[in-house]
Amino acid sequence: SSGSRPPSCRGDSIAAPPPPLAFESEGLRRTATSADPSAPLAPGWEQVKSKSQNAHYYCHRASRRVTWNRTEAVVGDEQDEDGRALAPGWEVARSKSTDSIYYHHLASGRTTWNSSEARIGYPSYWRHASQTSSFLDLVHGGPAFRQVQMLLSSTFLTIRTRDRKSRLPLALEAVRIWRIENSTVWQKYASHRAGLQEMAREACTSLLGCSPPAKTQELLPCEIKKTMSDNVNEIYVFHGTSPSGVAAIARQGFDIRRAAGTACYGQGVYFSECSSKSDEYAAVEEEGLHKGLCAMLLCRVSLGIVLTWPHAEFSEELKIAWNSGHYHSILGDRQQLRGTYREFVLPPKSCFGSYPEYLIVYKRIFDDDCSDSGSP
């Protein structure tokens, strides 16, 4: 309702806000009326008296921000214990008058004591979404199992390429699925994505992507779709490896040093929109808890500006195009060339552009319903 909206700054005058009691939220009313009136205001903030309401509110002149919530405008804690990365354009500063930490946005001049406004957060559906310290957790079960199994099944094609070293299964069936919540790896990814988002904002347009979109996009649940950035071509794609391999990636993220320089489109981390393609690179676990099973990852990838390459192999032309510095990812389109698959590649300079979000342990299903022997 209009009564819950903050006031606005216009020129040298500030429009009178609605009274604090008009807030719909009880929490906001308590905050507005119970903040310590003796706490000093942060740099750039001033207290303003509304004559019509006979009450004070707070205005930040540089950013035009206004609020009834005094805690947004006063000095915060003396120590900054928030482990989340700063968003682009923000820096940590210390008030000389109070010796307390606050945050300053260089371009707009805006300041705040609220670390969540200046730092990169986590997806809202994560178990640890509100945590500010470091964490690494594998979250099992819930709706994610059905959603990821659906992606695994719906993107499986009965197409075999020369990369497959075992016989082609009829389908893939998930045995167990975990969501990887790794604060350190996420912060690297989110910082990379934020840099691309800043580029898109400066260009006032979305970055050039791929056409058609990745097959996984139309199959994603709304809960996940609303957390994605279309303007930087953020997608979900698969990466095949072994159960022991995915465990290492879950802990540390992708290690570009392990990427082969002799791959089709050069050194990089390779992804596919089809589970059947990523399954070609998956290895059957020979022993242990997951003996006889395979593994792959469902990853968030921010493609940025995509270099679509319709040719079969790496070439000097591809090297020249990539070295121009204009692109952030490569799309090897063998679907158009040979009717097989498209592969998405993040070369070394874009290696932080992916986040391994779902770990999938699965089995291959054959027409004789037996496990994969590993032979063609």
Side-chain angles (χ1 to χ4, degrees):
S1 67
S2 61
S4 63
R5 294 173 187 163
S8 58
C9 291
R10 297 178 180 175
D12 293 330
S13 62
I14 304 171
L21 292 181
F23 283 124
E24 294 179 358
S25 165
E26 288 291 339
L28 283 176
R29 283 203 292 268
R30 285 195 302 272
T31 301
T33 57
S34 64
D36 182 0
S38 65
L41 296 177
W45 286 92
E46 63 182 36
Q47 180 175 284
V48 182
K49 180 68 174 290
S50 169
K51 295 181 180 179
S52 62
Q53 306 299 338
N54 193 30
H56 288 102
Y57 60 97
Y58 305 90
C59 176
H60 189 269
R61 286 289 182 180
S63 65
R64 305 292 192 189
R65 181 180 177 191
V66 288
T67 179
W68 286 107
N69 186 350
R70 184 179 175 87
T71 59
E72 295 183 30
V74 301
V75 172
D77 295 332
E78 293 188 1
Q79 299 298 324
D80 180 19
E81 299 178 351
D82 197 323
R84 296 173 295 176
L86 288 170
W90 286 91
E91 65 176 3
V92 178
R94 184 175 290 275
S95 169
K96 293 181 180 179
S97 61
T98 64
D99 195 35
S100 297
I101 291 292
Y102 67 96
Y103 301 90
H104 174 235
H105 190 265
L106 297 173
S108 68
R110 179 182 176 187
T111 60
T112 180
W113 299 106
N114 186 352
S115 64
S116 293
E117 295 181 30
R119 294 188 179 275
I120 296 171
Y122 306 104
S124 57
Y125 55 86
W126 276 21
R127 175 182 292 176
H128 300 279
S130 61
Q131 194 164 325
T132 58
S133 57
S134 297
F135 56 85
L136 170 56
D137 193 11
L138 296 181
V139 180
H140 174 62
F145 187 99
R146 296 186 297 274
Q147 295 163 356
V148 175
Q149 173 61 61
M150 181 268 293
L151 285 173
L152 199 69
S153 302
S154 301
T155 61
F156 185 90
L157 305 177
T158 54
I159 297 174
R160 177 174 182 160
T161 77
R162 65 185 182 183
D163 294 319
R164 182 172 289 280
K165 307 306 179 185
S166 61
R167 57 188 180 139
L168 179 66
L170 295 177
L172 307 178
E173 181 180 304
V175 175
R176 200 166 187 189
I177 296 170
W178 295 266
R179 184 172 63 245
I180 303 167
E181 299 190 7
N182 186 324
S183 60
T184 301
V185 177
W186 174 263
Q187 291 298 318
K188 292 177 181 178
Y189 169 71
S191 295
H192 178 89
R193 183 182 63 176
L196 296 177
Q197 290 170 332
E198 188 69 19
M199 182 183 298
R201 279 193 291 269
E202 290 176 357
C204 298
T205 185
S206 295
L207 304 183
L208 178 65
C210 59
S211 181
K215 289 180 171 62
T216 51
Q217 292 307 94
E218 62 183 23
L219 303 171
L220 292 173
C222 292
E223 180 187 41
I224 292 178
K225 274 186 177 180
K226 66 185 181 182
T227 69
M228 303 185 71
S229 298
D230 293 337
N231 63 338
V232 298
N233 302 305
E234 187 176 22
I235 62 174
Y236 273 90
V237 277
F238 296 99
H239 178 85
T241 180
S242 65
S244 56
V246 296
I249 295 171
R251 289 192 302 269
Q252 304 169 3
F254 289 100
D255 186 350
I256 194 64
R257 294 170 298 181
R258 294 180 177 272
T262 57
C264 187
Y265 301 104
Q267 186 182 27
V269 185
Y270 282 63
F271 304 92
S272 176
E273 61 191 336
C274 295
S275 61
S276 48
K277 178 58 180 175
S278 291
D279 178 60
E280 293 188 338
Y281 304 115
V284 177
E285 195 78 345
E286 299 294 339
E287 58 185 7
L289 180 63
H290 302 298
K291 181 179 180 180
L293 300 176
C294 302
M296 71 172 67
L297 294 157
L298 180 63
C299 307
R300 278 181 184 253
V301 176
S302 288
L303 296 173
I305 300 175
V306 181
L307 169 58
T308 299
W309 194 249
H311 307 296
E313 305 291 346
F314 185 85
S315 66
E316 190 63 26
E317 288 83 2
L318 174 57
K319 183 178 180 181
I320 292 172
W322 176 255
N323 288 340
S324 70
H326 182 64
Y327 302 98
H328 306 104
S329 62
I330 298 170
L331 171 59
D333 194 352
R334 292 192 171 199
Q335 176 179 306
Q336 178 181 338
L337 185 68
R338 294 180 177 172
T340 55
Y341 298 103
R342 299 192 303 176
E343 289 192 89
F344 300 84
V345 187
L346 293 183
K349 79 166 189 179
S350 298
C351 63
F352 292 134
S354 62
Y355 179 79
E357 191 164 4
Y358 292 96
L359 191 165
I360 310 166
V361 173
Y362 66 95
K363 61 181 179 180
R364 293 166 172 159
I365 304 299
F366 298 91
D367 52 2
D368 54 2
D369 197 28
C370 67
S371 60
D372 185 10
S373 64
S375 60

